[in-house]
Structures are given as structure tokens and as C-alpha cells.
Amino acid sequence: MEYNDKQVQIMEMAEILFAEKGFNGTSVRDIAEKASVNLAMISYYFGSKDKLLEALFSYRGESIKLKLESMIENKELGSMEKMNWLIDHYIDKVMSQQCFSRIMAREQVMNHTSAIAGLIFQMKKRNQELISKLIHEGQKKGEFKKSIDVPLMMATLIGTANSMVTTQHYYREINNLQSLTDEEFHKHIRKKLSQHLKKIFKAILTNEE
Amino acid sequence: MEYNDKQVQIMEMAEILFAEKGFNGTSVRDIAEKASVNLAMISYYFGSKDKLLEALFSYRGESIKLKLESMIENKELGSMEKMNWLIDHYIDKVMSQQCFSRIMAREQVMNHTSAIAGLIFQMKKRNQELISKLIHEGQKKGEFKKSIDVPLMMATLIGTANSMVTTQHYYREINNLQSLTDEEFHKHIRKKLSQHLKKIFKAILTNEE
DNA sequence: GTTTAAATCAAACATTTGTTTAAATTTGCC
DNA sequence: GGCAAATTTAAACAAATGTTTGATTTAAAC
């Protein structure tokens, strides 16, 4: 799907508001004002508020897909290297699309009947399959141990990253990092998160006992 | 704060609806119908819909506080034992109060200006302090290693547990556990989560390198 | 310059929202 | 039974909601 400038502007302003106040907490008038367009333009371009959210998901979902697959097929990388790459890739995605990550985190908690729930389920399933593939490959090569619970691992990857994104202001306060610029602070979080998750995954994937 | 039967009924039905459809997605009429009370009773007892949510938080927040402190003071347990106890305690709380956990998970993502945000911050800070205390004790005794990022650890504990609660239906489907009763399934998740998190925490707290 | 379609706008639409009112009913107490 | 307070009710309230309308402006094509 292609979107023109005005549509993109509406989606991106809506994204900010949805992240901040929730889908139901944001009115189409809020969105129209923030995007500096007339109220009716939202229905005109997207049909409805619900469809606007769906459009946002398709807009943001677009960018993710491709890189993962080609990385997994790469024969030159070891399984643990791939895993670490995947961790960094995921952190990157979450940190650079924080608003969208928040929306997803919230919508996941919601009722499982909406159109959005279906989209999220698709994404989740895709990722699950890719990671499973990676892990089985690592097990075959003897780099990973035998019994690994993939959904639990994903819960830790996704849950930890989401939790950090949604509570980063606590983190900043507690660690006295107010002197850093936003950019420096985000870089700091990325690095810490990356180290943390890699250590965890190494323990889960290799430590026998 | 003491609540009479009718107030409790309203709060518990509201809890279910908030968890399912979100705070803003739930109308006071929905709540009144589900709780089988007249619409006006909600304002009568709680003042407003916002105050009802606050009441729910105070109602659910009450039960948590005490046990943790006495456990931490216990001199007979090793630091790692305490940590494991804490993990199981937290899993228990999340699994037995799933609706409330969902609400908290969602409200955390929201704007940080509401009255609820303050309550959540308080809870978070309390827990953080207790865990820090536990960890420093373990470090003093030489059971834990030196550099540990407590907020990151909490993000993993809370994030993983939340993620499992909110996506348990995926987990059930993927692992072909539909034949289990709900109770059996929850027991299964608890056990898996417990093993998983204990292994992670052991790795984080003790593995030097 | 005229024509046709797309874009923009203010206004209005019907619902739904949270809350209040004021009357009716129930309850506990003497 | 009679009284006062607490509870419950249906109705009404104003404000906010998502969406549509129909007129007006802009842009593009010929």
C-alpha cells in the first residue's frame, strides 16, 4: 500500500497520540489538530478511525520483514552470532519505533477479536518460526543445547525490551542519567539491553545442567 | 480502605472489563450491567469512573506489601534462595491476578501524568528497593557477583511474566496444550516460567566473566 | 479558459459518553 | 409503626464522540 504525504502525516501524528493516550483515549479531533488537517480528512483518506489504526500497522509492519530471512540463510555466521544479531536487530527496531512499540504492547493486552489482533498474531507467528529455525539449526550444529522453549525465550526478549521502553524514565531517574541528551541516553539503553539479553540468551542456549 | 460487598462486586466486574477492553474502551454502563447494579451506583460509591480505577488499584495493591519484607529479613535463607522465592512469589501474583496484571501492564504504557501513574511508580520503587537490598546482601556474602543492573533485571522479571500472561493463548496453541484444563495449563505455565526465570537469574547473578 | 476530479472545509448528524438529579425504596433504630 | 439515613432507581443533562454532508476551493487535463 502506498500512502501520500498527507496520509503519512496523519498516521505519524496518530501514532504519537495513540502511544501516549491509547487508541480509545485519542479522539479523531485530537489527531486532526495535531496533524493540522481538517477533521473530515481522516474519514476521507482512511474511512474510519479503526481503519486508520490498521493502516498504521500496515505502514509500520512493512519495513520489518525482509532483513531477517536473508540473515538466517547466511552460511558464514555461527548460530550464536545470528542470535546476537537478532537481539540487536530487535532492540534497534523497538528503540527506533518506540511509539509504535508502545501501541503494539498495549494492543496485545486487549481483546483478541479485533482486526489488529490478527495482524499482531501474524507478526508473532512469523518471528516465532524464524527463531525456531535458527535454534534448530544451532542444535543440529551442536552449538545450542537440546531442550529450549522458544515461546518462553521470545517472552523474555520481547518482554524485557518492551518493559525497558515503557519504563525508561524510571531507569533514567534511578541511574542519575538526566545529564545525558536523549540521544546519548537511548544509546546507553541500547547497549545495556544488548549486553543483558545476550548474556541471558547465552545462558539459556548453551549452559547444560 | 474498606469496601462493602456491592463495591467489591463493581470493582471486580470493572477489573474484568478494563482488562479486556481497556479503561477508555469500557463505559460505566458496561460496568453497571456486568455488575448488575444501577448506573448511578458507580458515581454514588466511587465518585467517578477515574476514582473507581484508583479504588481498584488500592484494593488490589493492599494484598501485596507485607510478605516480601519479612522474607527478606529472614536470616536462615541464602540470598539465592530468597531470590528464587521472590521469583515464585511474583509469578504467583501475576498468574492469580491476571486481569489486574493486564490493566497494570497497559496503564504503565500510558501517559505519566495520571493519578494511576503515581501509584504504579510507588509500587515499582518499593519493589526496586527491596530487590536492591536483597542483591546487596548477596553481594556482601559473596553469593552474587559485583556489577548487577537491578532495573534491567526487573525489566526481565516483569516483562517476561507479563508477556507470558498476555500471550498465553499463543503459547497454548503452539505447544498443543488445548487438552489441558485451564487450571492444569496455568500450573504448567507457572512451572515453566519459574524454571526459566530462575535459570536466567542464576546466570545473571553468579556467572562471572 | 473550460471541464472534471480530487481535496478541503465548516457545519450538522446521531450516538455514546460520564455524571447528576430528584423521586422512590429499603434499611436500621427508637 | 414511625423516623431518618442509606440505598436504589429511571430520567435527564451537557459534553464529547465518530462519521457524513454538501458546498467550496484547488489541481490537473484537455
Side-chain angles (χ1 to χ4, degrees), chain A residues 132-195:
Chain A
S132 289
K133 195 172 166 189
L134 203 166
I135 287 176
H136 290 139
E137 180 198 293
Q139 289 173 322
K140 232 187 226 162
K141 290 205 269 176
E143 294 187 53
F144 297 160
K145 66 179 197 182
K146 284 287 158 52
S147 70
I148 292 167
D149 192 322
V150 180
L152 258 179
M153 276 191 38
M154 279 186 65
T156 292
L157 174 62
I158 296 171
T160 303
N162 274 345
S163 195
M164 278 300 284
V165 167
T166 60
T167 64
Q168 54 184 289
H169 49 289
Y170 298 140
Y171 189 86
R172 194 166 189 166
E173 206 172 309
I174 284 163
N175 293 56
N176 269 77
L177 299 173
Q178 290 95 337
S179 61
L180 299 183
T181 65
D182 280 3
E183 204 184 344
E184 289 170 334
F185 176 61
H186 284 158
K187 197 173 243 173
H188 176 84
I189 286 191
R190 273 180 217 237
K191 197 176 158 193
K192 284 285 182 184
L193 245 183
S194 175
Q195 293 171 346

Side-chain angles (χ1 to χ4, degrees), chain B residues 82-95:
Chain B
K82 289 184 186 177
M83 204 51 157
N84 287 338
W85 188 93
L86 190 145
I87 290 170
D88 282 327
H89 180 75
Y90 183 73
I91 292 173
D92 239 50
K93 200 197 99 196
V94 171
M95 292 298 293

Side-chain angles (χ1 to χ4, degrees), chain B residues 27-33 37-44:
Chain B
S27 75
V28 288
R29 283 170 181 79
D30 294 338
I31 300 168
E33 192 183 4
V37 299
N38 186 278
L39 172 62
M41 297 307 293
I42 290 164
S43 294
Y44 178 71

Side-chain angles (χ1 to χ4, degrees), chain A:
Chain A
M1 193 55 175
E2 284 284 303
Y3 298 105
N4 65 36
D5 292 355
K6 195 140 273 183
Q7 288 172 309
V8 168
Q9 195 191 356
I10 291 171
M11 284 191 288
E12 291 185 345
M13 292 303 109
E15 183 179 41
I16 294 172
L17 291 171
F18 290 161
E20 189 184 341
K21 317 202 288 178
F23 178 74
N24 286 309
T26 304
S27 75
V28 289
R29 283 170 181 80
D30 293 338
I31 300 168
E33 191 183 5
K34 181 132 192 157
S36 306
V37 300
N38 185 277
L39 172 63
M41 298 307 293
I42 290 164
S43 294
Y44 178 71
Y45 275 129
F46 298 97
S48 70
K49 190 186 168 193
D50 286 272
K51 297 234 188 77
L52 166 59
L53 180 59
E54 291 178 43
L56 176 59
F57 266 75
S58 91
Y59 174 62
R60 287 297 187 207
E62 208 85 343
S63 60
I64 312 171
K65 299 180 185 173
L66 295 167
K67 279 203 287 182
L68 269 177
E69 273 149 349
S70 65
M71 186 278 294
I72 289 197
E73 299 299 338
N74 188 330
K75 304 284 184 192
E76 298 180 13
L77 295 173
S79 293
M80 190 55 86
E81 284 178 295
K82 288 185 186 178
M83 204 50 160
N84 286 339
W85 187 94
L86 189 145
I87 290 169
D88 281 327
H89 180 75
Y90 184 73
I91 292 173
D92 239 49
K93 200 198 100 196
V94 171
M95 292 299 293
S96 62
Q97 298 191 350
Q98 297 198 18
C99 284
F100 187 68
S101 296
R102 281 169 191 259
I103 296 171
M104 276 211 40
R106 190 169 18 226
E107 289 302 318
Q108 261 180 77
V109 186
M110 290 284 233
N111 61 337
H112 311 296
T113 55
S114 67
I116 295 301
L119 294 174
I120 294 181
F121 182 77
Q122 269 188 313
M123 289 191 199
K124 258 194 151 36
K125 200 164 181 182
R126 266 186 57 85
N127 292 334
Q128 184 101 249
E129 283 162 1
L130 284 172
I131 295 180
S132 289
K133 195 172 166 189
L134 203 166
I135 287 176
H136 290 139
E137 180 198 293
Q139 289 173 322
K140 232 187 226 162
K141 290 205 269 176
E143 294 187 53
F144 297 160
K145 66 179 197 182
K146 284 287 158 52
S147 70
I148 292 167
D149 192 322
V150 180
L152 258 179
M153 276 191 38
M154 279 186 65
T156 292
L157 174 62
I158 296 171
T160 303
N162 274 345
S163 195
M164 278 300 284
V165 167
T166 60
T167 64
Q168 54 184 289
H169 49 289
Y170 298 140
Y171 189 86
R172 194 166 189 166
E173 206 172 309
I174 284 163
N175 293 56
N176 269 77
L177 299 173
Q178 290 95 337
S179 61
L180 299 183
T181 65
D182 280 3
E183 204 184 344
E184 289 170 334
F185 176 61
H186 284 158
K187 197 173 243 173
H188 176 84
I189 286 191
R190 273 180 217 237
K191 197 176 158 193
K192 284 285 182 184
L193 245 183
S194 175
Q195 293 171 346
H196 180 72
L197 285 170
K198 283 174 185 169
K199 183 180 294 178
I200 287 176
F201 273 52
K202 190 182 164 201
I204 295 177
L205 293 171
T206 65
N207 286 359
E208 292 289 355
E209 136 213 42

Side-chain angles (χ1 to χ4, degrees), chain B residues 73-156:
Chain B
E73 299 300 337
N74 188 330
K75 302 285 184 191
E76 298 179 13
L77 296 173
S79 293
M80 190 56 86
E81 284 177 295
K82 289 184 186 177
M83 204 51 157
N84 287 338
W85 188 93
L86 190 145
I87 290 170
D88 282 327
H89 180 75
Y90 183 73
I91 292 173
D92 239 50
K93 200 197 99 196
V94 171
M95 292 298 293
S96 61
Q97 298 191 349
Q98 296 198 17
C99 283
F100 187 67
S101 296
R102 282 168 190 258
I103 296 171
M104 276 211 40
R106 188 169 20 225
E107 289 302 317
Q108 262 180 75
V109 186
M110 291 284 234
N111 62 337
H112 312 296
T113 55
S114 68
I116 295 302
L119 294 175
I120 293 181
F121 182 78
Q122 269 188 314
M123 288 192 201
K124 258 193 150 36
K125 201 165 180 182
R126 266 185 60 84
N127 292 334
Q128 184 102 249
E129 284 163 0
L130 285 172
I131 295 179
S132 289
K133 195 171 165 188
L134 202 166
I135 287 176
H136 290 138
E137 179 197 293
Q139 290 173 323
K140 233 187 224 161
K141 292 206 269 176
E143 294 186 50
F144 297 160
K145 66 180 198 183
K146 284 286 159 52
S147 70
I148 291 167
D149 192 322
V150 179
L152 259 179
M153 275 191 38
M154 279 186 65
T156 292

